[in-house]
Structure formats: structure tokens, C-alpha cells
Amino acid sequence: MRLETSELILQDHIEEVGMPQQTIENASIIYNLPFNDLIFRAQTVHRANFDPNAIQMSRLLSIKTGGCPEDCGYCSQSAHYPTGLKASKLMEVERVLAEARKAKEAGATRYCMGAAWRSPKDRDMDQVVAMVHGVKALGMETCMTLGMLTPAQSASLADAGLDYYNHNVDTSERFYSEIIGTRSFADRLETLSNVRDAGIKVCAGGILGMGETVEDRISMLVTLANLPVPPESVPINMLIPIPGSKLANAEPVDPIDFVRTIALARILMPMSHVRLSAGRTEMSDEMQALCFFAGANSIFVGDTLLTADNPGEDHDGALFRRLGLRPMELEPAR
Ligand code: SAM
Ligand code: DTB
Ligand code: SF4
């Protein structure tokens, strides 16, 4: 009975005020539904908002690798941990564009450029802006993830025409300080607000498998869903354990819990692209199929993410054929 009441409350809210403020209590009830009911509900929401067989394809490039001053416990690029990664400086614009051309030829519609920075230095902004101009000129969507941004830096990127900015909240507010000590959850929300205010679309999600509880995962999704405007893109990463990092020996996530989290993201953020992000090399095809069925509709393509492995074109091509999936086309610019 409790479930039905809560569903009715949710439904009433949707009818009255558009998307409701989500509560952890309500989200937990949804998360804990019998699996078949949860997935049916997620798939129903998915079909009401998207073509269920089209998957958005993004490609990542690390434009500045390693030597990062932040201490994120999961990351290969943090200078705080002996991960053995070779650091390199900011890439030349032409090299980035050559890689973006290859990604476009391989079917990616969005090009995501990541830098291992706490935040960009003003002296780097011209080069980064030139990358945005160049990738846009290829007819691809652009995304960057450069760490914390000020309102002024957000405005420069918006003026350059940047489509998306990725900045993950990564976990719940409660658990955040267990994973990262050099910045706070509130710092993350501030950058998200600066990016949104500048008119850039938001990509924000997190990582599962860092030792957080199910409640932490639910709380993270509720935080994202309750942003003044929910993120257009929600990457859900499965931790890739990096030898030498603080989380090298973290317990793997239960795959069913992972799928439940994807389904909850779909239900709480019906119009967002939910991206099945890092960690796909360790997922079976069947687990990925369940994630798509639960409402994931975006992936990173290509054989590397930023520094870690990704399944690559051959494997993903075969998976798409087996599942009858196809790449989502880019919406014409308005
Ligand atoms: N330095 C920028 C920042 O932290 O915002 C951008 C790059 S950072 C690598 C982007 C995101 O990748 C992180 O927020 C985290 O969610 C994800 N990530 C990093 N390392 C990961 C790992 N080993 N496994 C899964 N996800 C990871
Ligand atoms: C996101 O949520 N996942 C991507 C992207 N945003 C920048 C990064 C995944 C990184 C995986 C580890 C690596 O390649 O170093
Ligand atoms: Fe630096 Fe980003 Fe890695 Fe944190 S996640 S250590 S900020 S590159």
C-alpha cells in the first residue's frame, strides 16, 4: 500500500508542477521495487521520452594527462598516488582535431575533452577555446571536463560554443570526503551552477563501486535530479580499480545493484541521456543489455577512455548488432 500511495503522490506532482522535487524516501521505494517492476517502469519512462533502440555515442580524449594536484581516490591521474601513469602537457590543437576527425569517422557525434586539472589556468584558456571552435567546425558536439570553473571561465567556454561541460558529483554528499579531500561536494555544485548559468548543457553523474552504500547511490541521484535543471547527460561509471590508487582494492559492485541504479537514474531524470560510462570492459554483454533495457542510452566509444581501456569498435559493433541497437543521430542545430 505504501508503494501505491507514494506512486500516487509522485504522479500528482508530475501533473501539477512538471517534474517534482524528489525525496530520498520515494527514490528508495522505487529502487527497492521487485526487479521486474523496476525495469518495466524504467523502460516505460524511457520509451515515453526516447527511441529505445538508439544509443548516443561519445568519444573521449585526454588533452592533458596526469600530474593532477587533486587527491581523488579512484583516479589514475592524481599526483597523490603511485599509479605509474606518465604525465604529459596540454596537447596541441591540431593533434586534438586530428583525433576528433577519426572519432567522427568512427561514428561518434560528441567529442569530450578531459584535462587533469583542479581548474584551468587563465593562460590555457585560449588553447582550450581553439579546440572547441575546431571540433565544432567538424560538425560534432563538444564537451569538456577541466575541473572547477569560475563564472568567467564558464562564460568564455559558452562564448566559444561549448555544448556540454562534464563535472561529476561522483557520490553522495555524505560519502564525498571519504574519496576526495582536496575539494568539497559544495565546490562541485558551485561549478555546476556556474556552468548552467553560462548557458552550457550539464553532464554530471558519478561512480559506483567505491565502497559507498546503496543509500549513497540513491542520494547522489536525488541530488542530481533536484538540481534547478537536471543534467542533460548523466554518466554512471563503474569503478575501474587503478593499481596504486586509494581504491585499488575496492569491492566490485553487484551487477544487479548497478542495473537498479541505472533504472533509478532513468526514472528520476526521464529526459536525460543516461550514459553507461567507465567499466564496460568488465561487464558482460548481458549486463550491458540489461543496462540498456533499464534506460541507459549513451556510451563512450573507442578503445580508450581517458587513460583506461574501453571495449572498442569491434566489440561494440558486434554488441549493437546482437541487440538491434543503432547510433543516435545528432539533432540538427537550431
Ligand atoms: N579533472 C576533471 C574532474 O575531475 O572533474 C576531469 C577528469 S575526471 C577523470 C572525470 C571523471 O571520470 C571523474 O569525475 C570520475 O567520475 C571519472 N573517473 C575517473 N577515474 C575513474 C575510474 N578509475 N573509474 C571510474 N570512473 C572514473
Ligand atoms: C565520466 O563520467 N566518465 C569519463 C568522463 N566522464 C570524463 C571518464 C572515465 C574515466 C575512466 C578512467 C580513465 O580513463 O582514466
Ligand atoms: Fe584530477 Fe579529475 Fe583525476 Fe580528480 S578525477 S585526480 S580532478 S583528473
Side-chain angles (χ1 to χ4, degrees):
M1 282 313 286
R2 198 159 159 242
L3 168 66
E4 281 168 24
T5 311
S6 125
E7 282 191 324
L8 286 175
I9 292 168
L10 187 65
Q11 202 56 47
D12 286 350
H13 267 293
I14 292 171
E15 278 160 19
E16 279 165 26
V17 293
M19 279 314 291
Q21 281 294 99
Q22 304 292 346
T23 63
I24 292 193
E25 193 200 19
N26 203 17
S28 304
I29 292 169
I30 298 170
Y31 180 93
N32 287 307
L33 283 169
F35 188 76
N36 289 343
D37 294 341
L38 172 65
I39 304 302
F40 178 74
R41 192 166 162 165
Q43 177 67 201
T44 306
V45 169
H46 191 48
R47 280 170 186 265
N49 293 283
F50 289 100
D51 173 341
N53 301 309
I55 305 290
Q56 193 279 329
M57 300 195 342
S58 295
R59 173 81 213 220
L60 269 169
L61 175 71
S62 179
I63 58 170
K64 190 269 163 191
T65 304
C68 185
E70 302 282 63
D71 68 352
C72 312
Y74 47 77
C75 189
S76 63
Q77 306 198 66
S78 166
H80 294 255
Y81 307 109
T83 64
L85 185 76
K86 192 169 165 283
S88 53
K89 61 181 184 40
L90 185 59
M91 274 172 82
E92 295 300 329
V93 177
E94 279 312 315
R95 272 189 62 210
V96 172
L97 299 186
E99 294 298 324
R101 267 180 224 110
K102 284 192 237 162
K104 187 182 178 187
E105 279 158 25
T109 55
R110 189 180 306 169
Y111 205 59
C112 306
M113 294 157 270
W117 287 328
R118 174 172 166 83
S119 54
K121 302 269 185 302
D122 285 341
R123 62 165 187 266
D124 294 319
M125 287 304 283
D126 287 351
Q127 204 166 326
V128 159
V129 160
M131 291 174 193
V132 176
H133 284 302
V135 174
K136 277 191 82 75
L138 298 175
M140 299 179 87
E141 289 181 321
T142 50
C143 177
M144 288 202 149
T145 179
L146 313 172
M148 293 189 267
L149 293 186
T150 62
Q153 289 171 327
S154 308
S156 312
L157 291 171
D159 286 348
L162 182 70
D163 296 295
Y164 290 84
Y165 196 77
N166 166 251
H167 201 67
N168 290 340
V169 296
D170 277 330
T171 189
S172 66
E173 184 169 13
R174 182 199 75 82
F175 194 61
Y176 198 81
S177 60
E178 304 274 323
I179 303 299
I180 299 153
T182 49
R183 55 169 192 258
S184 66
F185 195 77
D187 290 333
R188 274 331 241 190
L189 296 181
E190 191 178 324
T191 291
L192 289 176
S193 152
N194 293 341
V195 165
R196 179 60 83 196
D197 290 349
I200 301 170
K201 283 181 264 194
V202 168
C203 171
I207 308 182
L208 311 191
M210 302 192 292
E212 73 288 344
T213 61
V214 164
E215 289 69 32
D216 288 317
R217 296 173 193 155
I218 294 171
S219 166
M220 172 181 88
L221 293 181
V222 167
T223 296
L224 293 171
N226 285 343
L227 289 174
V229 178
E232 282 80 1
S233 252
V234 180
I236 305 293
N237 298 279
M238 186 172 84
L239 179 74
I240 300 176
I242 305 289
S245 73
K246 184 171 160 185
L247 297 176
N249 300 312
E251 276 292 305
V253 198
D254 172 64
I256 298 293
D257 285 349
F258 190 93
V259 177
R260 281 186 179 273
T261 309
I262 295 272
L264 183 63
R266 166 53 62 226
I267 292 166
L268 296 185
M269 292 170 277
M271 306 209 295
S272 307
H273 287 83
V274 174
R275 182 172 309 123
L276 181 56
S277 301
R280 289 197 301 117
T281 52
E282 295 306 310
M283 294 179 197
S284 66
D285 285 358
E286 293 79 4
M287 177 174 170
Q288 293 187 62
L290 266 183
C291 289
F292 295 132
F293 194 43
N297 63 346
S298 171
I299 56 169
F300 286 119
V301 290
D303 54 13
T304 27
L305 294 162
L306 291 171
T307 69
D309 291 345
N310 199 45
E313 230 179 288
D314 292 350
H315 192 111
D316 283 340
L319 179 61
F320 272 41
R321 277 190 295 281
R322 286 176 83 193
L323 300 178
L325 297 174
R326 59 174 185 284
M328 191 181 288
E329 283 170 25
L330 204 52
E331 281 173 22
R334 272 174 286 183

